[in-house]
Amino acid sequence: MTGAPDPARRLGPVVRLAPAKLNLTLAVLGVRPDGYHELHSVMVPLDLADRLSVSILPPGTADSLHVDGFDPGPVADNLVLRAFAAARRHAHPTWGREEPPPALAARLEKRIPVAAGLAGGSSDAAAAVDAALEAWGVELGAGARHRLAAELGSDVPFFLAGGPALAEGRGERVTPLGWLRTASVGDVSVDDSTRPGGPALLLITPAVAISTPAVFRAWDEGARVTGGAARLASAHLAEELRKGIRGQDLMARASVLAAANDLAPAAAAVEPALVPFKRALLRQLGRPVGLSGSGPTHWALYASHAQAAEAADRVRAAIGVGELTAPGPRPPFVAVARILARTTQPAEPQEPRREP
Ligand code: C5P
């Protein structure tokens, strides 16, 4: 027999963490002939992550998915199952057997809010592809993995980068961007160059699911600002991150970054209650507040995890006493997350290494 090793011999499930992403910038450059929008966005993965566990099923069974935590909607529509099917199709030729790679059972702990502008579903899909290939013992080249990811959704290729990246095109053109300088150990870590723990993000996600296509439609219909400020801020940040910046440099850019989301007016057109909510957050936090992706997750940057956690407590308390109200039937999701940044520059493009 040639091809992959017998997957039945694998011990235990394959486990993957599927990180959320945050758009530090998001510029919409125009509409493409295929109806998608041309983007320029600096995206960072966060240590807020879903957990996916994947096991091989016996012959004669079908892929299955069990979800705990946030409700992502009907299981049959879940990107994890679509990712398994697509991975099986791509893996079959290298699998070395006539029958396709076997069915998979997945358990997904959803800790990332759904339809929140944090790309949780896209990250789950990227993790599902990776876990499926490992469970089957199949190797796919970088090109094939990228095609497979782009097929699954515009945000999925970003998660192959394994760190901060610039996403262009409809999101499928991903350039790994350097690093936050760090003193941590390991190939993926959080920046701690400025103070213990380094900068952290406060995330506040009102309990209103926002449809990304609806937000892009609102942009098409004119809910947008002109002037290209987001594009400029995005290009600037991409260039700086490519070379490597410190947490404190990121902090210094917080107000520019918080304003650098071209989808913010369109998200407000889809969910008008976001406008007074953001105003209230600005008053409450007294610092710049940005929107991730098509929303409704808002973010604020802090110099340390402790400061962000303290702000999170204040936000929860203000919500508890009715001082801060958020749209939606439930209180918002409030969390503190760190950026998962590389500790070394990515291999491409080649740049001489700069020491912190
Ligand atoms: O690629 P994905 O299926 O995740 O995109 C969801 C929707 O978001 C698309 O159907 C499209 O309406 C919109 N979109 C867009 N331009 C992009 C990415 C997404 O118009 N670059």
Side-chain angles (χ1 to χ4, degrees):
M1 185 193 71
T2 58
D6 183 356
R9 294 182 57 207
R10 152 167 286 291
L11 294 173
V14 177
V15 176
R16 289 286 180 274
L17 287 179
K21 68 88 176 130
L22 191 93
N23 301 84
L24 286 177
T25 61
L26 174 51
V28 183
L29 309 183
V31 190
R32 298 153 40 116
D34 62 5
Y36 280 83
H37 294 74
E38 191 72 18
L39 306 179
H40 190 287
S41 179
V42 173
M43 290 159 63
V44 291
L46 305 179
D47 66 355
L48 168 68
D50 292 340
R51 184 179 184 276
L52 182 72
S53 159
V54 173
S55 313
I56 299 268
L57 285 171
T61 50
D63 291 336
S64 69
L65 172 64
H66 175 86
V67 185
D68 291 313
F70 285 108
D71 179 8
V75 160
D77 300 340
N78 197 287
L79 265 184
V80 166
L81 292 179
R82 281 178 41 204
F84 286 164
R88 187 174 288 112
R89 214 170 44 248
H90 282 255
H92 197 175
T94 47
W95 164 244
R97 305 178 200 193
E98 203 171 312
E99 75 279 8
L104 300 168
R107 293 187 75 88
L108 179 62
E109 265 176 55
K110 279 224 63 82
R111 301 165 181 164
I112 307 171
V114 173
L118 296 172
S122 300
S123 187
D124 296 343
V129 168
D130 199 55
L133 295 176
E134 173 152 343
W136 295 327
V138 173
E139 298 281 343
L140 272 192
R145 271 185 193 253
H146 183 269
R147 276 194 299 282
L148 173 44
E151 202 179 289
L152 288 166
S154 304
D155 277 343
V156 182
F158 162 74
F159 292 100
L160 305 183
L166 169 65
E168 295 175 280
R170 72 174 171 95
E172 85 289 4
R173 234 165 54 233
V174 176
T175 310
L177 286 178
W179 41 304
L180 288 173
R181 297 186 196 177
T182 179
S184 299
V185 178
D187 60 345
V188 172
S189 184
V190 293
D191 170 73
D192 61 1
S193 60
T194 47
R195 9 186 127 197
L201 288 149
L202 169 62
L203 306 177
I204 308 114
T205 312
V208 284
I210 293 197
S211 146
T212 302
V215 172
F216 276 109
R217 260 197 315 277
W219 188 93
D220 291 342
E221 288 159 8
R224 54 176 117 151
V225 284
T226 50
R231 171 73 172 87
L232 257 176
S234 197
H236 194 208
L237 180 68
E239 182 54 22
E240 288 191 309
L241 262 179
R242 195 177 65 76
K243 290 186 268 177
I245 63 172
R246 294 170 306 167
Q248 67 200 41
D249 302 325
L250 199 62
M251 291 294 303
R253 283 149 189 71
S255 61
V256 171
L257 301 180
N261 184 339
D262 278 341
L263 286 182
V270 170
E271 183 53 72
L274 291 185
V275 177
F277 176 64
K278 180 173 174 184
R279 217 178 290 131
L281 267 183
L282 282 167
R283 263 199 313 273
Q284 177 74 37
L285 300 175
R287 66 176 55 223
V289 173
L291 183 78
S292 184
S294 51
T297 297
H298 288 72
W299 59 266
L301 195 59
Y302 287 83
S304 70
H305 194 281
Q307 285 180 26
E310 198 256 325
D313 286 344
R314 274 191 283 122
V315 166
R316 288 191 195 101
I319 290 164
V321 298
E323 208 178 278
L324 178 66
T325 51
R330 293 180 307 282
F333 169 80
V334 179
V336 175
R338 284 197 171 129
I339 295 172
L340 293 172
R342 292 182 187 80
T343 57
T344 54
Q345 278 187 303
E348 294 290 337
Q350 289 291 327
E351 278 275 313
R353 173 147 188 187
R354 286 166 51 175
E355 292 305 323

